[in-house]
């Protein structure tokens, strides 16, 4: 069996691909706070519909969503200025401290001790991801792929396809860990098995998705079993 990258699948778990915001770190709430403040800065409060549409979105998609909700012209210069404002605010929030999601630290160690490949796959741009990697620990990842380093961010499969390519594995031999509908859709489309740990929004089921309520207590045996469950 060959995937869309041309690599052959062994049918065995070889790597774990980690989402960051809301999966490893409680940064999804910080992102939510930052985008809410941006909406007010641009002219009005953010609706619940807009908030849900920005969860897990790339910065570009989040910004265009906010602009559309406020009936603003998404001129490239205006979007660039809004992004500068948002990233300055997010830098302040990240610098104040990034709390871990339950069980995430140990789960990263478990993947390493199992000898599996590991990559961070996030819609967050490299500029902010570098702040987060100081908390996460760069030693936990062979590679990291950020939203501004691929042709399109999640829900496009490009970030996950790039991570698998960097690791030299077939996406079908990867377990992607996600918390949002946007991220799960991206990993699904790339051909990964998706382990969903919902955080602040529900994620619909699909044939490629398995669910747990938390990363706490996750063992290496669990990782292989979850992957086999979907491969089967």
């Amino acid at each position: 069996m060959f995937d869309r990258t041309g690599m052959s699948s062994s049918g065995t778990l070889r790597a774990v691909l980690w989402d960051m915001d809301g999966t490893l770190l409680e940064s999804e709430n910080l992102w939510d706070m930052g985008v809410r403040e941006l909406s007010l800065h641009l002219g009005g409060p953010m609706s619940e519909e807009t908030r849900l549409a920005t969860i897990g979105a790339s910065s570009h998609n989040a910004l265009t969503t906010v602009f559309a909700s406020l009936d603003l012209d998404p001129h490239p210069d205006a979007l660039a200025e809004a992004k500068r404002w948002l990233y300055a605010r997010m830098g302040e929030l990240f610098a104040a401290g990034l709390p871990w999601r339950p069980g995430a630290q140990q789960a990263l160690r478990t993947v390493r001790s199992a000898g599996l490949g590991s990559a961070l796959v996030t819609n967050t741009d490299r500029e902010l991801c570098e702040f987060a990697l100081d908390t996460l620990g760069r030693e936990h990842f062979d590679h990291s792929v950020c939203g501004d380093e691929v042709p399109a961010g999640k829900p496009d499969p490009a970030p996950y396809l790039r991570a698998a390519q960097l690791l030299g594995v077939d996406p079908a031999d990867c377990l992607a860990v996600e918390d949002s509908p946007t991220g799960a859709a991206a990993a699904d489309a790339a051909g990964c098995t998706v382990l969903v740990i919902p955080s602040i929004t529900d994620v619909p089921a699909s044939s490629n998705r398995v669910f747990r309520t938390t990363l706490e207590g996750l063992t290496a045996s669990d990782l292989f079993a979850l992957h086999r469950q979907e491969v089967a």
Side-chain angles (χ1 to χ4, degrees):
M1 174 180 146
F2 289 83
D3 83 324
R4 57 202 293 181
T5 67
M7 297 174 184
S8 61
S9 171
S10 66
T12 301
L13 179 62
R14 296 180 61 194
V16 177
L17 311 179
W18 300 96
D19 173 56
M20 183 176 76
D21 299 305
T23 298
L24 293 174
L25 298 174
E26 291 282 14
S27 44
E28 200 74 84
N29 288 324
L30 298 180
W31 176 254
D32 188 60
M33 185 187 306
V35 177
R36 282 180 184 277
E37 291 180 11
L38 173 67
S39 184
L40 288 170
H41 172 74
L42 291 174
M46 187 167 69
S47 70
E48 182 63 11
E49 180 183 4
T50 301
R51 185 187 80 84
L52 291 173
T54 63
I55 294 173
S58 66
S59 60
H60 177 76
N61 288 345
L63 289 168
T64 55
T65 297
V66 171
F67 269 60
S69 73
L70 297 172
D71 200 26
L72 298 174
D73 177 16
H75 187 278
D77 289 344
L79 288 172
E81 178 55 36
K83 182 176 179 178
R84 281 192 291 272
W85 190 97
L86 177 61
Y87 271 52
R89 180 60 179 136
M90 291 307 302
E92 293 172 354
L93 294 172
F94 276 29
L98 286 169
W100 288 87
R101 288 280 289 160
Q105 271 183 299
Q106 184 55 50
L108 287 172
R109 297 189 191 105
T110 296
V111 167
R112 274 305 192 215
S113 64
L116 296 167
S118 179
L120 186 67
V121 186
T122 177
N123 260 350
T124 299
D125 286 3
R126 176 61 64 182
E127 177 184 346
L128 288 180
C129 183
E130 287 300 314
F131 279 104
L133 280 168
D134 290 337
T135 295
L136 290 168
R138 298 164 200 275
E139 70 276 8
H140 293 303
F141 309 101
D142 299 300
H143 300 283
S144 57
V145 178
C146 296
D148 57 341
E149 298 171 340
V150 287
K154 306 173 190 178
D156 192 277
Y160 279 107
L161 293 173
R162 177 59 176 158
Q165 181 184 48
L166 288 170
L167 289 164
V169 298
D170 186 324
D173 297 336
C174 297
L175 184 68
V177 189
E178 275 285 354
D179 75 301
S180 72
T182 300
D188 219 333
C192 304
T193 295
V194 191
L195 171 58
V196 179
I197 314 287
S199 58
I200 64 175
T201 187
D202 293 332
V203 178
S206 89
S207 60
N208 290 337
R209 299 174 191 174
V210 291
F211 290 76
R212 278 177 64 104
T213 57
T214 179
L215 288 171
E216 290 182 298
L218 187 70
T219 66
S221 296
D222 291 334
L223 292 169
F224 284 94
L226 288 165
H227 182 261
R228 281 198 304 273
Q229 180 180 329
E230 278 311 302
V231 170

